[in-house]
Amino acid sequence: MKPLLLLTDFSENGNHAVEYGYRLAKDLETNVTLCNAVDFAETANMLWPAEAYDALISDSGKELKKLMKHLEETDHNAGFHPQISYQCKLGRLVDVVESARQKEDFYMIVIGAHRKGFARFLLENHSKSMMDTLTCPLLIVPQKLS
């Protein structure tokens, strides 16, 4: 079976969606790819040197490795254990996902539901952007789903 693409922004809800997607992958007996997009549009109001973006990508990679280690260390059940890979790229989430899909055919993309409240008016609603743009299965995991 094709792997699942699990998206996170490292928020509590984003990581919860990754954990849910990982459990789903175990049930489906398929592998997973963790993915984070370093969205330069959200930092556009700041003037950053080019090296700062390299540091953001590096930090993202470190966080994805920590999340990968957490998934592996908490997977104590018998049976299938998904292989985990990861990728982080600079760009809008939709563009990063489309780039990943050009390299690999994913069975499904898993993302956490967008946060509620005033912050959603300030930042792009990634869940809605994904629904509007993608032409593949997309699972949006609500905050309280266990």
Side-chain angles (χ1 to χ4, degrees):
M1 177 176 267
K2 300 173 191 174
L4 302 182
L5 181 62
L6 311 180
L7 308 177
T8 185
D9 59 0
F10 307 117
S11 67
E12 182 179 340
N13 193 41
N15 289 347
H16 171 73
V18 165
E19 290 175 358
Y20 185 85
Y22 182 81
R23 290 192 310 267
L24 178 62
K26 285 182 64 73
D27 291 340
L28 295 172
E29 296 188 1
T30 191
N31 297 322
V32 299
T33 299
L34 307 180
C35 181
N36 173 255
V38 178
D39 192 344
F40 54 85
E42 292 184 7
T43 61
N45 293 335
M46 298 177 247
L47 295 175
W48 293 42
E51 305 83 46
Y53 292 112
D54 292 337
L56 288 171
I57 293 292
S58 175
D59 290 346
S60 174
K62 289 175 187 173
E63 289 299 313
L64 287 170
K65 286 179 187 177
K66 280 199 267 186
L67 187 54
M68 184 170 74
K69 185 176 180 180
H70 167 75
L71 292 171
E72 292 170 341
E73 289 177 350
T74 58
D75 185 0
H76 302 294
N77 297 338
F80 182 79
H81 298 276
Q83 291 182 4
I84 306 169
S85 61
Y86 71 91
Q87 58 181 279
C88 50
K89 292 188 177 182
L90 185 66
R92 289 184 27 210
L93 179 62
V94 171
D95 297 333
V96 169
V97 169
E98 284 297 335
S99 173
R101 287 184 61 219
Q102 288 176 2
K103 294 177 185 166
E104 187 164 7
D105 190 15
F106 294 100
Y107 177 72
M108 180 185 304
I109 298 170
V110 179
I111 187 172
H114 195 73
R115 63 183 157 252
K116 297 179 180 177
F118 184 69
R120 76 182 185 94
F121 294 109
L122 300 176
L123 300 173
E124 178 182 8
N125 183 330
H126 297 295
S127 303
K128 182 166 180 359
S129 295
M130 299 294 280
M131 287 187 294
D132 291 344
T133 306
L134 296 177
T135 58
C136 64
L138 176 67
L139 175 63
I140 301 175
V141 180
Q143 292 179 344
K144 304 243 183 219
L145 188 62
S146 54

